Amino acid sequence: MTDRLITHLRHVDLAVPDFARQQDFFTDAWGLSTEHTDTGIAFLAAEGSPEQYVVRLRQAEDKRIDLIALGAATPADVDTLAARLATSGVTLVHEPKALDTPGGGYGFRFFDNEGRTIEVSADVAIRAHRRIEAGESVPVRLSHVVVNSADHEGTRAFYERHLGFRLSDTLMHPRMGEMMWFLRINAWHHSLAIARGPHPSLHHASFELRGLDEYMRGTGRLLRAGVEKIWGPGRHLAGNNTFSYFLDPHGNTLEYTTELDEVDEDTWHPHLYDFSQPEVSDQWGTANAMNEFVARKSFNDPDQGLFVAPPV
């Protein structure tokens, strides 16, 4: 596939056993707002985002990624992509149709190579949103999602071949080889990244704040609230974005970030960064050292939702 029909990342949908506790965390601590609710389901928006929601939360017996949602420009692009995927042997969960989630739209769902449910949609209504003011430490948008993969080569190939993602940078280690691949679907350095892991699972979901001051205020607010921080604050080399990683009540890793690079796609050449060099992981040198104990926190539990479509 040479043309790119995906435009951006919309939302990540998570299922959790303790729905009320997780919803309280996202709204009271993390800074999202509940826009719509149904029985055992909450649609959580970022105040600065035109997306109807950036997280859908669902009550379930097992923790899992329900789906990752991507945007397309037009319904015709949705149809074209669905037909291409089906012709290539990709399993569709459902054909393109009108969506009954908040904002409506037109889209379809399919399984990626490891069984994650992916949705592509167009014509979703724009949410009434607002400009985040100076000093407000709440998320502006969903920045990116990183998944752990036990088949990193296959997963990278799937997203590049079928969805038009392009490689921005790679992290490697002298003893372990290549470990993480940053993929872009627009000018942002990455909207998706793939981490080499022991099993398919969520590595982390990242939320962008307004700027450095708001990012630091948000980091401090979570620390004062007693939310467990596993790494940060610091600034990565790949993507040049800041990072503070925290654990939610179910052990999912969530990130506050800001200032993610936008790249010139005509001139960009991917880098291979050795993350055993301290300045690669953290240019500032302010974060706690990255080690196997920190890394293991983001392995997460094996995803229980592979090749199992979530309720619509």
Side-chain angles (χ1 to χ4, degrees):
M1 184 182 298
T2 56
D3 56 335
R4 180 186 285 175
L5 299 180
I6 302 297
T7 56
H8 66 290
L9 174 66
R10 288 196 186 278
H11 52 86
V12 59
D13 298 8
L14 303 175
V16 294
D18 194 338
F19 174 82
R21 186 181 180 200
Q22 187 75 19
Q23 184 179 9
D24 286 345
F25 170 83
F26 271 126
T27 55
D28 295 343
W30 200 251
L32 301 180
S33 58
T34 302
E35 289 292 294
H36 311 276
T37 58
D38 202 340
T39 303
I41 295 177
F43 299 89
L44 309 174
E47 287 294 311
S49 173
E51 294 295 331
Q52 289 287 326
Y53 54 99
V54 295
V55 173
R56 188 188 82 156
L57 195 62
R58 183 176 66 87
Q59 172 78 49
E61 291 185 6
D62 297 310
K63 179 178 72 174
R64 54 177 279 187
I65 305 174
D66 266 347
L67 66 82
I68 298 170
L70 306 168
T74 67
D77 287 346
V78 170
D79 286 335
T80 297
L81 186 57
R84 287 179 179 176
L85 290 175
T87 300
S88 297
V90 175
T91 301
L92 301 190
V93 174
H94 67 71
E95 299 281 347
K97 65 179 183 178
L99 302 178
D100 59 5
T101 43
Y106 179 77
F108 73 105
R109 294 178 178 178
F110 59 93
F111 293 129
D112 76 3
N113 62 302
E114 289 191 297
R116 302 174 191 85
T117 303
I118 309 297
E119 179 182 272
V120 176
S121 62
D123 278 3
V124 178
I126 292 175
R127 172 181 171 270
H129 57 292
R130 65 181 179 84
R131 181 180 182 274
I132 302 301
E133 301 297 331
E136 274 192 283
S137 60
V138 298
V140 174
R141 69 181 185 100
L142 177 64
S143 173
H144 55 271
V145 173
V146 181
V147 295
N148 291 309
S149 174
D151 176 19
H152 55 276
E153 292 180 353
T155 301
R156 176 186 163 189
F158 182 95
Y159 284 88
E160 290 180 336
R161 174 189 174 195
H162 295 298
L163 301 180
F165 280 83
R166 298 176 186 171
L167 179 69
S168 291
D169 287 318
T170 302
L171 297 184
M172 58 79 66
H173 189 278
R175 294 192 308 276
M176 296 181 287
E178 295 184 359
M179 298 297 295
M180 185 174 285
W181 299 263
F182 298 90
L183 305 180
R184 67 185 185 277
I185 201 61
N186 47 40
W188 293 112
H189 179 271
H190 57 285
S191 295
L192 176 73
I194 300 163
R196 197 171 89 191
H199 46 250
S201 61
L202 178 68
H203 185 283
H204 73 269
S206 179
F207 298 79
E208 181 184 333
L209 278 75
R210 182 181 188 270
L212 279 175
D213 183 69
E214 292 75 21
Y215 154 78
M216 287 302 295
R217 287 173 183 261
T219 298
R221 174 171 48 76
L222 292 169
L223 290 173
R224 287 172 178 164
V227 179
E228 182 180 353
K229 178 180 69 68
I230 59 173
W231 194 30
R235 184 187 285 277
H236 295 311
L237 185 56
N240 197 40
N241 55 305
T242 64
F243 65 90
S244 293
Y245 296 93
F246 294 88
L247 290 183
D248 74 11
H250 287 85
N252 295 308
T253 301
L254 304 176
E255 179 189 35
Y256 271 172
T257 192
T258 196
E259 297 189 346
L260 179 67
D261 274 349
E262 294 185 70
V263 305
D264 181 344
E265 296 212 64
D266 292 331
T267 60
W268 186 262
H269 294 284
H271 303 83
L272 181 63
Y273 290 124
D274 178 357
F275 73 84
S276 69
Q277 301 299 314
E279 64 274 12
V280 170
S281 294
D282 178 17
Q283 296 182 68
W284 290 341
T286 52
N288 48 311
M290 167 53 70
N291 55 40
E292 61 180 304
F293 303 105
V294 173
R296 190 174 292 123
K297 291 281 190 178
S298 291
F299 285 166
N300 215 329
D301 303 315
D303 198 319
Q304 300 301 308
L306 303 178
F307 294 108
V308 180
V312 176

